[in-house]
Amino acid sequence: MGKRLLSMLMASVALAAAGVTAEAKTVLHVMHQGDPGWVSTYGEVAKRFEAANPDVDVELIYAPHDAYNEKFSAAVMSKQLPDVMELDAPFLANYVWSGYLQPIKPLIDQDVLDDMTASNIAQGTYPIDKDLYAIGLTDSSVVLYGNRKYLEAIGARIPKSVDDAWTQEEFEGYLEKLAKVDGVKWPIDTFRGYGIKTEWITYAYGPILQSAGCDLIDRTTWKSTGTLDSDACVKALTMMQTWVKNGWVVPQSSGTNQFFAEGHPAALALGGHWFYAEAAASMKDDIVVMPLPKFGPKGASPNGTWIWGITTASEHPDIAGKFVSFMLKDKLYRDYATADSGYPGLKSFAAASPLYDTGGPLAVAFEQASKTAVARPPHPAYPVITSTFMQAVDEIFNGGDAKTALSAAAAKIDEDIEENDGYPPFDEQQ
């Protein structure tokens, strides 16, 4: 036996005796989405977790935001589910019903569970067994942003709280006036540039229907016909179609931001909390944050964001839970979320987020969470509900008849539910 081979054998024996083998490491697969800043942040969290747990390798699997569900479906088909996955909250019911996620409470540190806000618990809870299947550092909301100099030019009233929100009459009156102000190219940016593949239309426009007195589906009978195509919904979408026809809304072709773009050509914006930091940097004292208008007797706002679940396919759920707990407590992870205007889903994170404190610039967004937030329909048919609704809205904004488009969408939703026998046990909730 050669000296080189003998040395290698002796080294292997020594490593084995010390319990150090390559096979001893557990590989944890974590699937996520996010912009480049978040991707980098997840990579740093993984490195810190590996340093604290040298027997674990974290393998990050990136999927583009707009194609995330398609990539997850491919993982299901190839039987290569990750251990940990990021998921958009309204899809949770579908994933749990399909058997992809496991209850998360036994796997997450108790201090983290005790730290969750009510809205965070709601977005991660499956409505059938009321158990928690996912958790996040953040939640989300949409507010009405305004350019102070344009609002002052028309003498607009600036609401200070959710209870003081603009009425539909005020809102549409201001849109008409803003269209005549020098420097305003469009009265409002509703971020049509996000298109119909990003969940934006259902997330941001759904609350307009709910405020107007209707919904995407009846949440007792789980029937869409008679609800989505009701007079109230038809009226609400016709109203929005009129905004588009009047030239008040930034067209889809103009991209995803004309509110704080150069020259500030849009006077208002129906925008997510997440772009506050960039908008404030551009607009300084001209930025105003207001609650969403009331389009009926009550206000409504969205909630739900990307949260973390542990799949039923994980062979190491205890380690997966340890990783999620580590990430949610990680200071640098929280610091990045704060810099990104992260909407608090943990009470300790809220306490460290001055943006959302009483008197803070995004306090009204946090107020909406407790007063007007309405979750998207927590039903296994949600992927069909949202895709069908977004296509109908796109058709309406492009000149289609609202009643026809919404009736066709409602029928398609009901057809999917019928084809799946009512998605039992959801059929027993009626």
Side-chain angles (χ1 to χ4, degrees):
M1 182 180 292
K3 290 183 179 180
R4 180 180 176 84
L5 180 57
L6 181 60
S7 297
M8 291 173 64
L9 285 172
M10 291 177 66
S12 297
V13 170
L15 286 171
V20 181
T21 63
E23 291 75 21
K25 282 209 171 189
T26 297
V27 178
L28 197 69
H29 297 91
V30 179
M31 185 173 175
H32 67 96
Q33 53 85 56
D35 62 29
W38 277 110
V39 172
S40 175
T41 299
Y42 295 146
E44 293 302 317
V45 170
K47 289 179 184 177
R48 290 191 287 275
F49 182 78
E50 289 172 339
N53 300 272
D55 57 338
V56 180
D57 276 340
V58 178
E59 183 176 316
L60 296 174
I61 305 167
Y62 171 74
H65 178 88
D66 294 359
Y68 192 87
N69 290 327
E70 289 87 343
K71 185 156 185 176
F72 177 71
S73 296
V76 170
M77 294 296 291
S78 62
K79 297 182 179 180
Q80 293 183 331
L81 284 177
D83 297 278
V84 177
M85 66 171 292
E86 197 177 16
L87 64 140
D88 201 0
F91 289 82
L92 182 136
N94 179 272
Y95 290 168
V96 176
W97 186 85
S98 300
Y100 302 145
L101 297 177
Q102 61 179 292
I104 204 170
K105 279 184 181 178
L107 307 171
I108 301 298
D109 292 352
Q110 189 61 47
D111 59 334
V112 176
L113 295 173
D114 293 341
D115 200 21
M116 296 177 73
T117 63
S119 63
N120 197 356
I121 294 171
Q123 70 177 339
T125 298
Y126 185 53
I128 296 299
D129 60 13
K130 311 298 183 187
D131 208 345
L132 191 72
Y133 284 81
I135 186 172
L137 176 66
T138 60
D139 198 341
S140 71
S141 194
V142 168
V143 294
L144 183 66
Y145 292 90
N147 187 313
R148 190 183 304 275
K149 69 177 181 180
Y150 295 146
L151 294 178
E152 289 179 349
I154 63 169
R157 180 178 69 85
I158 298 179
K160 299 298 183 182
S161 71
V162 169
D163 300 330
D164 196 34
W166 287 344
T167 63
Q168 177 187 337
E169 291 72 25
E170 281 182 297
F171 179 64
E172 292 193 295
Y174 291 148
L175 291 179
E176 186 173 8
K177 290 180 180 179
L178 287 167
K180 302 171 184 176
V181 172
D182 287 343
V184 175
K185 187 173 183 179
W186 300 284
I188 188 167
D189 191 347
T190 65
F191 286 76
R192 289 187 65 197
Y194 283 138
I196 62 173
K197 292 185 177 181
T198 66
E199 184 64 12
W200 173 254
I201 288 176
T202 306
Y203 173 69
Y205 302 171
I208 294 177
L209 304 190
Q210 290 144 4
S211 179
C214 58
D215 207 342
L216 282 69
I217 191 168
D218 186 301
R219 302 192 188 205
T220 300
T221 65
W222 294 115
K223 301 291 184 184
S224 186
T225 299
T227 297
L228 179 55
D229 58 351
S230 65
D231 290 345
C233 276
V234 171
K235 184 179 178 181
L237 264 300
T238 301
M239 171 188 70
M240 296 185 74
Q241 183 187 61
T242 300
W243 303 345
V244 174
K245 287 180 177 178
N246 287 347
W248 293 347
V249 177
V250 175
Q252 188 170 349
S253 59
S254 293
T256 56
N257 168 53
Q258 291 299 320
F259 177 64
F260 61 88
E262 185 177 357
H264 307 156
L268 300 171
L270 189 73
H273 69 273
W274 52 86
F275 81 79
Y276 171 80
E278 192 173 357
S282 169
M283 299 179 68
K284 311 299 183 186
D285 292 339
D286 278 339
I287 191 170
V288 177
V289 181
M290 300 173 286
L292 294 181
K294 294 178 183 177
F295 295 96
K298 63 179 183 179
S301 61
N303 79 326
T305 191
W306 290 83
I307 50 182
W308 299 95
I310 297 171
T311 71
T312 51
S314 177
E315 296 180 359
H316 312 284
D318 54 335
I319 298 175
K322 189 175 182 180
F323 172 77
V324 174
S325 298
F326 177 94
M327 177 169 54
L328 297 180
K329 295 179 186 181
D330 185 80
K331 183 181 183 300
L332 296 181
Y333 174 71
R334 290 184 174 211
D335 286 348
Y336 184 81
T338 299
D340 197 47
S341 309
Y343 187 104
L346 297 180
K347 287 173 278 190
S348 61
F349 181 52
S353 303
L355 285 177
Y356 297 92
D357 280 349
T358 301
L362 286 173
V364 73
F366 205 48
E367 184 189 6
Q368 285 185 159
S370 61
K371 291 186 175 180
T372 63
V374 179
R376 283 158 281 178
H379 192 278
Y382 185 77
V384 173
I385 293 171
T386 184
S387 64
T388 303
F389 175 66
M390 287 194 289
Q391 290 167 6
V393 172
D394 190 57
E395 180 181 335
I396 293 166
F397 280 13
N398 285 305
D401 178 71
K403 178 68 174 180
T404 302
L406 292 177
S407 292
K412 188 173 181 179
I413 292 167
D414 289 345
E415 181 182 350
D416 174 78
I417 293 174
E418 289 169 8
E419 287 178 351
N420 286 278
D421 300 320
Y423 287 97
F426 282 80
D427 59 330
E428 299 171 5
Q429 290 186 302
Q430 299 178 16

